[in-house]
Amino acid sequence: MKKLARIYTLVLTFALALLSLVGCAERNRADQNADAYFSKKGDVLVVYFTWSGHLRSMAHWIADEVGADYARILRKEEYPVSYNETADVAKKEKDENIYPEINLSLSDEEMERYKTVFVGFPVWWYDVPMPVMTFLKQANLQGKNVYAFFSHEGSSDGAGSLPTLEKLMQTKGAAFDKKTALSVRGSKVKDSETVVREWVKSLNIPKNEAVVVPSEITFPLGDDVSERFTGKVFFKNLIQKDSVYNFPITNHITFAPGARSSWHVHGGMEILVTGGKGIYQEEGKKAQIIRKGDVVHIPAGVKHWHGAAPDSWFSQIVIYDAEWKPEAGDAHSAHGAEPVTDEWYANLETEDYAGRTLTEKDAFMFGNGTLFPSENFSGNVYLGDVLNAKNEAGAPGIHNVVFDAGTYNNWHSHAGGQVLIVTDGIGYHQIEGQPLEILHPGDVAFCPPGVKHWHGATAKMKFAHLAANANPDKPGVQWFDRLPLDEYNKLPTE
């Protein structure tokens, strides 16, 4: 009997390991790059937990289908990198009814506007993972319609997870019918978009049409910060300055047509346009039309405003010196103190941005680059300069790196660390000893100083990212061997 029990335990541990292995692309992604909480100010919320990463796709398809807000549950103390160790920790949490601390805590006021809540998770030990239980225990679900979606590797009926949710929702005063739950095998998630979207449609939930963006806006929108601007504006933090990378604060801002900032001044800023058509104007100068791939340099203390053209969405990366303060006696206008009026905006005199370097031949966001022969890459890679080291924001030099499909670099380390911002295609990044990350436009990958990593394109698609060697006072790159081709060819491609 003891032998049978041991075999049973090993089978369950292997099942959990397999769940984690499938779609392991996003394991250990930096917290600031995760979907901590994204709000469109709608009445539907999609909240999900993933260890390996494949639940993320399902959550985003659901959110897109109904125009929902979405949030990712992250355990504050990350689970171990090892599959077996994670299985042990998860089993202990379940057996001892431990509710781990998580990153997500929505107040009663924040939950009040939601009428419908989707909850997504992988089935762990035949039940709901305990980080999800932490959220559900804390959240106010009174009077809400709750729907479950989950991945599995054999428990297609959700095993004990659906009865667990049914019992909990009764105590929380929420409406829940386990018959409506969506079940997808973990190994099939990447091919399940149609199934997921059809399931959502079958629920007849009205779509929040507040935000419909064109395909040329490829970075995630972020949080709705429209109260700080004129019109609909979204904000996502990409890089928060810290003592490891010492990279200036970097954000991504998306403007709906006609949306704009007020006149304002701040520390030195670099604008890197990621999509659409926008307007930039300095006080006393004609307004400039800026487009994808343009880089605008704004010296500290220069009064200006920027936003979308009347007929186009517009998105931009902003890198800025947040530590700048005006000298005594300098004129200084706080952000939002002086709006760009409708009359001013409607009567602008505009001209194309004189600093544009891209042409119609450039297929990638910041250019096609120039072929860079190197034995440290498996195929063709192209480089271009986006921002030199002497820039207004005090950022290190930023390069545009374009990989042909199937091209990736050797393991290597940077003395000062490296930061990557993905602009085009789908690619990979992996730090030694950690699972693979699959990267999409708007994702940020961080590699600490002196730590080995590699990155590059998938076998099927070209890939481009911005790259900056952090801590430029610590230059130097050390190259090592390359990931074997047979291992590369086994990697997931989306």
Side-chain angles (χ1 to χ4, degrees):
M1 183 62 72
K2 288 183 178 179
K3 185 177 181 181
L4 286 175
R6 183 173 178 271
I7 293 173
Y8 182 65
T9 300
L10 287 173
V11 169
L12 286 179
T13 300
F14 175 74
L16 176 57
L18 185 59
L19 279 173
S20 305
L21 180 63
V22 175
C24 64
E26 296 176 84
R27 178 72 180 101
N28 276 357
R29 177 170 292 182
D31 283 4
Q32 66 182 8
N33 197 43
D35 299 327
Y37 181 50
F38 164 63
S39 175
K40 296 180 181 178
K41 303 299 184 186
D43 60 2
V44 180
L45 172 66
V46 180
V47 62
Y48 73 101
F49 168 77
T50 181
W51 185 82
S52 61
H54 57 291
L55 259 293
R56 180 178 189 264
S57 297
M58 294 176 70
H60 280 246
W61 293 329
I62 294 168
D64 179 65
E65 196 63 40
V66 293
D69 298 2
Y70 56 79
R72 178 178 175 180
I73 298 170
L74 290 166
R75 190 175 185 265
K76 279 195 174 180
E77 182 180 348
E78 287 193 10
Y79 284 110
V81 173
S82 162
Y83 303 138
N84 289 338
E85 289 179 14
T86 294
D88 291 341
V89 174
K91 184 71 162 60
K92 179 180 175 66
E93 288 176 343
K94 180 181 183 299
D95 290 347
E96 299 181 13
N97 206 32
I98 296 171
Y99 291 81
E101 286 190 73
I102 60 174
N103 68 315
L104 186 64
S105 179
L106 300 181
S107 66
D108 288 354
E109 181 178 355
E110 289 171 310
M111 289 296 296
E112 185 177 356
R113 76 168 184 271
Y114 297 120
K115 297 178 181 178
T116 303
V117 178
F118 288 86
V119 180
F121 55 89
V123 174
W124 275 15
W125 292 105
Y126 288 88
D127 214 333
V128 180
M130 291 307 291
V132 178
M133 294 298 290
T134 299
F135 172 79
L136 295 175
K137 182 180 179 181
Q138 295 173 351
N140 178 13
L141 300 172
Q142 179 71 37
K144 304 186 188 306
N145 296 311
V146 177
Y147 298 96
F149 61 99
F150 60 89
S151 64
H152 66 92
E153 285 300 333
S155 303
S156 59
D157 61 352
S161 65
L162 297 182
T164 294
L165 288 176
E166 191 172 47
K167 182 177 179 180
L168 179 60
M169 292 306 108
Q170 287 177 354
T171 65
K172 301 286 288 188
F176 175 76
D177 183 353
K178 62 184 181 182
K179 295 179 182 179
T180 63
L182 175 66
S183 167
V184 177
R185 197 173 188 94
S187 57
K188 303 293 184 182
V189 166
K190 65 184 179 65
D191 300 316
S192 68
E193 181 173 359
T194 299
V195 171
V196 172
R197 290 184 181 273
E198 289 301 319
W199 171 68
V200 177
K201 290 176 182 176
S202 73
L203 301 175
N204 295 316
I205 298 171
K207 182 170 183 177
N208 170 28
E209 300 289 356
V211 182
V212 179
V213 298
S215 59
E216 66 181 37
I217 304 298
T218 57
F219 280 34
L221 291 182
D223 293 325
D224 189 328
V225 292
S226 301
E227 66 274 7
R228 295 162 46 190
F229 295 84
T230 298
K232 202 76 170 175
V233 180
F234 301 89
F235 168 93
K236 186 175 180 63
N237 175 248
L238 299 181
I239 302 170
Q240 187 68 39
K241 188 171 183 179
D242 59 21
S243 59
V244 177
Y245 299 95
N246 291 294
F247 197 96
I249 290 177
T250 303
N251 302 319
H252 188 261
I253 305 174
T254 306
F255 297 82
R260 56 198 184 268
S261 73
S262 298
W263 289 98
H264 59 286
V265 300
H266 45 55
M269 174 179 280
E270 299 291 341
I271 293 178
L272 283 60
V273 181
T274 59
K277 182 172 70 173
I279 300 172
Y280 170 75
Q281 185 177 26
E282 294 181 5
E283 187 177 37
K285 296 183 179 180
K286 189 176 290 188
Q288 306 283 303
I289 298 296
I290 52 179
R291 303 176 187 274
K292 182 172 69 174
D294 287 345
V295 179
V296 180
H297 316 283
I298 308 175
V302 171
K303 189 175 180 180
H304 66 281
W305 69 271
H306 39 112
D311 58 349
S312 174
W313 281 78
F314 171 66
S315 61
Q316 60 181 14
I317 294 171
V318 292
I319 309 171
Y320 70 100
D321 177 8
E323 299 172 359
W324 174 84
K325 297 184 184 301
E327 295 181 5
D330 282 357
H332 179 63
S333 172
H335 194 286
E338 189 179 340
V340 175
T341 65
D342 291 343
E343 182 181 4
W344 181 277
Y345 182 79
N347 292 285
L348 284 173
E349 291 187 28
T350 63
E351 61 185 12
D352 265 356
Y353 176 55
R356 182 167 303 128
T357 59
L358 267 64
T359 69
E360 292 181 356
K361 295 181 180 180
D362 288 295
F364 295 90
M365 186 177 291
F366 291 98
N368 294 341
T370 302
L371 181 64
F372 178 72
S374 173
E375 61 183 11
N376 293 312
F377 292 80
S378 66
N380 290 337
V381 64
Y382 308 82
L383 299 183
D385 291 329
V386 174
L387 201 61
N388 64 42
K390 294 182 179 180
N391 57 75
E392 302 294 346
I398 297 179
H399 306 285
N400 180 41
V401 188
V402 178
F403 298 79
D404 274 351
T407 297
Y408 61 104
N409 55 28
N410 291 13
W411 288 99
H412 59 286
S413 63
H414 300 262
Q418 189 176 48
V419 178
L420 310 175
I421 303 175
V422 181
T423 58
D424 303 84
I426 301 175
Y428 303 127
H429 176 250
Q430 185 174 27
I431 294 174
E432 186 178 38
Q434 296 189 19
L436 181 75
E437 295 176 83
I438 292 186
L439 302 175
H440 300 81
D443 287 343
V444 182
F446 300 86
C447 187
V451 175
K452 289 168 66 173
H453 72 148
W454 71 270
H455 41 106
T458 67
K460 297 182 178 180
M461 184 180 295
K462 291 186 176 183
F463 173 64
H465 62 58
L466 302 178
N469 293 333
N471 298 298
D473 58 324
K474 299 176 183 178
V477 181
Q478 186 174 2
W479 292 94
F480 304 94
D481 56 347
R482 186 180 303 152
L483 182 76
L485 184 60
D486 60 340
E487 292 185 27
Y488 170 85
N489 287 334
K490 294 177 183 178
L491 298 176
T493 56
E494 55 185 282

